[in-house]
């Protein structure tokens, strides 16, 4: 059974005449008759019967027509959807780490949509840890992701976009807050709130502690800066976090590190050498060009 056979059948059912249907379809009547005969043979059922000079659907032809109408309507819909995706009405599946959700992503997507010919592009938004972002990208669930760099991913292009300073946050009145700054060794002296170890920043900070032979007392782990700063504000411990808007609450003290200029980089990532529609390609180019300007 082919799509052409379904189209032929629908036209004959509408016209109730082979010659008129052949003229409408711009094919010869014998070719049309052979195609329908082949379809009936495949289905092992008679779809049409003679009614004088015309033809009419059998009971089973009427049942078949209901299904054919639905199938061809769906074909029309998918053709229209593919045209939209290939034109100026494309769609981008965008995923990113939690700290970018508050302002960076909404701001950058709005700026992108304000560009000429981008206004009809639509987005789906997803928030995940970096490991889940990579898995979703490789499974084609996401078109573009923003998260931490991951080693040993040769099929993924990583582009540095955002450089985040790392800061120590403490409760108000904490000895480090009174000092006004911190050093890495201070992280061993007090209970520490850490990032979830499976997150990008969790891996980043844990590698840092290992490289400097630090053994901090991590009393609990949290997924993002908002929840970490809330725990710090209630004096559960101090924390080493990225300097993002979520810590600018006024409820914690934000301290620079004296002995090291420590930064964490957020990367734009997408599959190498893979076909993408224009909407995705244009968004990647936009972030690469303008995404570093917050």
């Amino acid at each position: 059974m082919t799509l052409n056979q379904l189209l032929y059948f629908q036209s004959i059912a509408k016209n109730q005449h082979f010659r008129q249907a052949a003229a409408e379809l711009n094919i010869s009547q014998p070719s049309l008759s052979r195609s329908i005969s082949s379809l009936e043979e495949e289905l092992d059922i008679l779809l049409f019967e003679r009614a004088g000079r015309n033809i009419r659907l059998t009971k089973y032809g009427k049942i078949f027509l209901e299904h054919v109408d639905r199938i061809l309507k769906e074909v029309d819909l998918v053709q229209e959807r593919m045209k939209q995706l290939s034109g100026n009405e494309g769609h981008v599946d965008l995923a990113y780490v939690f700290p970018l959700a508050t302002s960076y992503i909404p701001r950058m997507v709005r700026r992108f949509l304000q560009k000429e010919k981008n206004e009809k592009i639509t987005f789906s938004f997803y928030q995940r840890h970096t490991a889940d972002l990579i898995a979703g990208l490789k499974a084609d669930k996401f078109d573009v992701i923003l998260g931490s760099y991951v080693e040993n991913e040769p099929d993924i292009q990583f582009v540095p976009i955002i450089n985040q300073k790392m800061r120590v946050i403490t409760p108000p009145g904490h000895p480090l807050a009174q000092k006004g700054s911190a050093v890495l060794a201070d992280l061993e002296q007090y209970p520490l709130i850490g990032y979830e170890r499976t997150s990008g920043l969790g891996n980043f900070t844990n590698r840092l502690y290992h490289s400097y032979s630090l053994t901090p007392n991590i009393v609990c782990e949290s997924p993002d800066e908002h929840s970490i700063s809330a725990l710090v504000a209630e004096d559960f411990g101090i924390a080493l976090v990225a300097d993002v808007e979520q810590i600018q609450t006024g409820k914690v003290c934000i301290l620079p590190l004296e002995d090291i200029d420590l930064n964490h980089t957020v990367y734009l990532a997408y599959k190498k050498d893979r076909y993408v529609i224009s909407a995705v390609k244009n968004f990647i180019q936009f972030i690469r060009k303008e995404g570093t300007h917050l």
Side-chain angles (χ1 to χ4, degrees):
M1 186 186 307
T2 67
L3 181 59
N4 275 344
Q5 284 178 313
L6 299 184
L7 289 167
Y8 294 168
F9 169 80
Q10 187 185 60
S11 179
I12 297 167
K14 179 184 70 175
N15 288 284
Q16 296 187 34
H17 201 286
F18 271 91
R19 182 173 55 78
Q20 292 175 7
E24 180 179 86
L25 295 166
N26 197 29
I27 63 172
S28 68
Q29 184 172 336
S31 295
L32 180 59
S33 297
R34 285 194 298 271
S35 180
I36 296 302
S37 294
S38 176
L39 177 61
E40 290 177 322
E41 183 177 343
E42 179 181 350
L43 297 174
D44 194 25
I45 203 163
L46 195 65
L47 299 172
F48 297 102
E49 58 188 357
R50 290 286 178 182
R53 293 187 176 182
N54 294 336
I55 57 171
R56 64 187 176 199
L57 288 166
T58 64
K59 171 184 175 180
Y60 311 102
K62 291 177 182 178
I63 295 172
F64 188 61
L65 179 61
E66 293 176 2
H67 290 280
V68 169
D69 286 343
R70 286 198 295 269
I71 291 168
L72 294 180
K73 183 177 181 180
E74 192 65 27
V75 169
D76 289 340
L77 289 173
V78 75
Q79 285 179 328
E80 181 61 28
R81 182 57 177 152
M82 292 302 103
K83 288 179 182 178
Q84 291 174 352
L85 289 174
S86 65
N88 294 329
E89 299 181 31
H91 185 83
V92 181
D93 286 306
L94 174 63
Y96 42 88
V97 290
F98 294 90
L100 303 184
T102 302
S103 60
Y104 180 84
I105 291 297
R107 189 183 310 148
M108 296 310 298
V109 171
R110 176 53 59 200
R111 283 172 55 184
F112 173 75
L113 293 173
Q114 288 171 344
K115 296 284 186 180
E116 186 179 1
K117 296 183 179 180
N118 290 347
E119 63 273 5
K120 293 184 179 181
I121 293 173
T122 57
F123 283 79
S124 291
F125 300 97
Y126 307 87
Q127 297 176 49
R128 301 284 192 276
H129 288 315
T130 294
D132 294 328
L133 296 180
I134 296 296
L137 182 64
K138 293 165 74 172
D140 291 328
K141 182 176 181 180
F142 310 136
D143 297 313
V144 184
I145 63 172
L146 287 101
S148 297
Y149 177 80
V150 177
E151 296 180 345
N152 301 318
E153 292 292 351
D155 296 328
I156 297 177
Q157 180 69 54
F158 290 91
V159 181
I161 297 295
I162 307 169
N163 198 37
Q164 301 170 324
K165 290 282 188 183
M166 298 298 293
R167 303 297 189 192
V168 174
I169 57 174
T170 73
H174 191 276
L176 291 178
Q178 295 177 5
K179 179 183 173 185
S181 62
V183 294
L184 277 179
D186 290 329
L187 301 177
E188 291 186 301
Q189 307 305 313
Y190 305 96
L192 189 72
I193 313 298
Y195 288 97
E196 288 184 348
R197 65 192 65 193
T198 56
S199 68
L201 272 162
N203 287 324
F204 174 80
T205 51
N206 286 330
R207 286 197 305 269
L208 172 74
Y209 303 147
H210 179 75
S211 64
Y212 283 88
S213 300
L214 299 176
T215 55
N217 176 26
I218 299 177
V219 294
C220 66
E221 297 177 346
S222 286
D224 54 51
E225 291 79 6
H226 177 76
S227 56
I228 290 174
S229 62
L231 291 168
V232 170
E234 294 298 328
D235 204 15
F236 284 90
I238 66 173
L240 178 65
V241 296
D243 191 356
V244 295
E245 290 185 16
Q246 286 87 342
I247 67 173
Q248 306 289 338
T249 62
K251 298 180 180 180
V252 297
C253 296
I254 305 171
L255 310 177
L257 284 164
E258 285 184 358
D259 56 341
I260 183 173
D261 185 20
L262 187 61
N263 300 279
H264 173 258
T265 302
V266 175
Y267 289 80
L268 167 73
Y270 50 90
K271 281 185 174 181
K272 296 178 181 177
D273 304 320
R274 286 295 183 92
Y275 170 79
V276 293
I277 60 174
S278 296
V280 175
K281 186 183 302 182
N282 292 341
F283 184 70
I284 290 172
Q285 292 173 347
F286 172 81
I287 295 296
R288 293 189 66 152
K289 181 179 179 181
E290 302 190 29
T292 57
H293 308 299
L294 301 182

